[in-house]
Amino acid sequence: MRIKILDHPLVSHKISVLRDKNTPSPIFRQLVDELVTLLAYEATREIRVEEVEVVTPVATTTGVRIADPKPLVVPILRAGLGMLEGMTRLVPTAEVGFLGMARNEETLDIVTYAERLPEDLTGRQVYLLDPMLATGGTLIEAIKFLRERGAESVTCVCLIAAPEGIAALEKGIEGMENVDLFLAARDERLNEKAYIIPGLGDAGDRLYGLAE
């Protein structure tokens, strides 16, 4: 698995404002949107393109366009929805699917409670959106779900991650090719409640102002 952490002063600045507990939801949403667009710029470097003839006002030339099948953007509900606009702004021709996943409190298994995706993802480049990589369980199951449907590659776009989550993800998808992880920041650790430290709190609550 290839891991890329963006090293840019604007990214660091925006993450710092996100972390501040006094940052209100409207500003939080705006910053998430901006950060995802910056992440998407890097995450889509290997997006498939094909040559196309372009007629300019003065000549004919050869350019490129995003090739078929179009990339698929998949936010993990609900917090991943806050990342969707930032991603599709950069790739407006991408298709959008949805995955709803939650942990069963009794078995601790990850349960898929909602999905809106093509049955066959053969040949598709998928961009998976989830703000926080904590324990890694949800992201691992989401990647497996997509690959079982035939996704050619899965690029995970997250804002922050804990080292424990990254390690769990690498172990959970060991041997699986064409999986990448793009981050705005790698944090220090998980605490005893599996919260990311220093983190930024509950991303869903801070985006939408509602309890889980």
Side-chain angles (χ1 to χ4, degrees):
M1 180 178 73
R2 180 178 57 167
I3 302 171
K4 171 70 173 179
I5 303 170
L6 266 63
D7 181 17
H8 194 287
L10 283 178
V11 171
S12 300
H13 165 75
K14 293 176 191 297
I15 283 289
S16 296
V17 181
L18 277 186
R19 294 191 194 280
D20 189 338
K21 66 179 183 179
N22 295 314
T23 298
S25 287
I27 301 300
F28 193 93
R29 285 194 295 269
Q30 179 183 340
L31 288 168
V32 168
D33 182 79
E34 293 170 359
L35 277 165
V36 173
T37 299
L38 292 169
L39 283 163
Y41 180 79
E42 292 296 330
T44 55
R45 282 189 178 275
E46 296 182 9
I47 200 167
R48 274 197 306 269
V49 295
E50 59 188 9
E51 289 191 350
V52 60
E53 185 178 276
V54 179
V55 180
T56 80
V58 294
T60 299
T61 187
T62 300
V64 298
R65 65 183 175 195
I66 294 176
D68 291 325
K70 294 292 189 292
L72 180 67
V73 177
V74 180
I76 297 179
L77 303 178
R78 73 179 165 130
L81 284 175
M83 304 172 69
L84 180 58
E85 189 172 344
M87 188 77 190
T88 54
R89 179 182 296 108
L90 198 65
V91 195
T93 57
E95 295 181 0
V96 177
F98 299 95
L99 263 180
M101 292 185 157
R103 184 180 300 277
N104 184 302
E105 295 300 328
E106 294 181 2
T107 66
L108 301 182
D109 293 331
I110 302 297
V111 178
T112 302
Y113 64 85
E115 64 97 353
R116 183 68 173 174
L117 295 166
E119 288 295 328
D120 185 4
L121 295 176
T122 301
R124 303 294 292 268
Q125 292 178 300
V126 181
Y127 294 87
L128 191 59
L129 309 181
D130 198 8
M132 305 175 73
L133 171 54
T135 64
T138 300
L139 212 54
I140 291 167
E141 292 305 314
I143 293 168
K144 290 180 177 179
F145 187 96
L146 295 167
R147 293 305 291 266
E148 285 171 2
R149 291 206 175 180
E152 178 181 301
S153 64
V154 180
T155 300
C156 306
V157 180
C158 303
L159 298 180
I160 64 173
E164 296 92 333
I166 295 173
L169 181 59
E170 289 181 309
K171 183 177 180 180
I173 61 167
E174 189 173 2
M176 196 180 292
E177 298 181 351
N178 299 324
V179 177
D180 297 324
L181 173 64
F182 285 79
L183 301 169
R186 175 162 47 193
D187 277 16
E188 296 173 12
R189 60 184 174 86
L190 293 179
N191 68 9
E192 64 280 358
K193 295 183 178 180
Y195 294 157
I196 300 176
I197 301 297
L200 48 79
D202 186 292
D205 287 355
R206 297 197 66 189
L207 279 163
Y208 305 117
L210 298 172
E212 291 282 359

